[in-house]
């Protein structure tokens, strides 16, 4: 049987246990709330989750930028500089009095010779562009007919093909 005298040492009459300083410190150290551990775990999980999401977005952006940069650049062709040179020579010859279709007799005039050389240089410089378009034409037509290339790439190819056709 329990007596009231046993409880006098443990309470001060108000029902609050009497504890000396040593017991209080042990209880505080032992009594770390499990909710604190749960909160730390949730914060760590959230930080890891955000880090993984940012990394996924970066990789996705890198892949998207790679394909967007790749799309259509193959046919971003420029005419060679000899095309401009030909038009400069032609303009100089016309200023000097030469007219297109003018016959110079047995000996070609210096203007006729300069224009012929500029035109030949222009034709030679156009050969790599023409062969590139001819080589890519069957493949691009097949890819487009099977819907395996983007509209941007197809339009880029068509523009390059039209430019080469106009040059030839």
């Amino acid at each position: 049987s329990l007596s009231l005298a046993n409880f006098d040492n443990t309470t001060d009459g108000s029902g609050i246990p009497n504890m000396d300083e040593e017991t209080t410190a042990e209880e505080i150290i032992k009594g770390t709330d499990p909710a604190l551990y749960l909160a730390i775990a949730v914060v760590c999980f959230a930080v890891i989750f955000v880090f993984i999401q940012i990394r996924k977005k970066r990789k996705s952006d890198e892949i998207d930028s790679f394909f967007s940069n790749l799309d259509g650049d193959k046919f971003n062709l420029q005419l060679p500089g000899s095309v401009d040179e030909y038009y400069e020579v032609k303009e100089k010859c016309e200023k000097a009095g030469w007219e297109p279709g003018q016959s110079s007799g047995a000996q070609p005039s210096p203007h006729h010779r300069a224009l012929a050389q500029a035109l030949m240089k222009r034709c030679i410089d156009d050969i790599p562009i023409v062969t590139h378009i001819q080589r890519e034409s069957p493949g691009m037509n097949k890819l487009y007919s099977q819907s395996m290339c983007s509209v941007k790439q197809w339009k880029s190819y068509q523009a390059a093909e039209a430019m080469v056709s106009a040059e030839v």
Side-chain angles (χ1 to χ4, degrees):
S1 117
L2 295 173
S3 69
L4 192 55
N6 290 341
F7 290 107
D8 285 339
N9 292 338
T10 59
T11 63
D12 60 1
S14 65
I16 300 174
N18 285 337
M19 295 184 197
D20 56 358
E21 291 179 28
E22 192 176 305
T23 309
T24 307
E26 283 181 20
E27 286 296 320
I28 292 173
I29 293 172
K30 278 196 232 175
T32 305
D33 193 11
L36 180 63
Y37 293 123
L38 180 63
I40 291 171
V42 168
V43 168
C44 289
F45 177 74
V47 168
I48 291 171
F49 180 76
V50 168
F51 176 74
I52 290 172
Q53 292 301 321
I54 290 172
R55 214 167 122 199
K56 281 183 184 177
K57 185 172 179 0
R58 248 188 231 146
K59 281 186 179 181
S60 174
D61 290 345
E62 287 173 9
I63 291 171
D64 290 345
S65 70
F66 172 75
F67 283 115
S68 67
N69 290 337
L70 179 71
D71 206 19
D73 283 344
K74 188 175 187 179
F75 300 108
N76 188 13
L77 303 176
Q78 300 293 324
L79 290 176
S82 58
V83 173
D84 295 330
E85 290 174 16
Y86 168 77
Y87 286 115
E88 290 171 4
V89 170
K90 183 177 177 183
E91 185 178 322
K92 285 179 186 177
C93 290
E94 286 176 346
K95 284 182 181 177
W98 178 84
E99 292 179 14
Q102 178 183 21
S103 176
S104 59
Q107 289 291 331
S109 69
H111 301 295
H112 184 76
R113 184 177 296 274
L115 268 175
Q117 288 175 346
L119 184 59
M120 182 59 75
K121 187 173 189 302
R122 178 180 175 178
C123 291
I124 291 170
D125 289 345
D126 283 341
I127 290 173
I129 296 172
V130 172
T131 56
H132 176 71
I133 290 294
Q134 287 175 343
R135 199 173 341 120
E136 297 296 325
S137 181
M140 283 303 296
N141 287 323
K142 187 173 184 177
L143 286 173
Y144 184 72
S145 69
Q146 296 175 356
S147 299
M148 294 178 70
C149 70
S150 68
V151 174
K152 181 180 176 185
Q153 196 171 19
W154 177 250
K155 287 183 178 183
S156 174
Y157 164 72
Q158 284 183 318
E161 191 177 38
M163 179 188 69
V164 169
S165 294
E167 178 64 16
V168 173

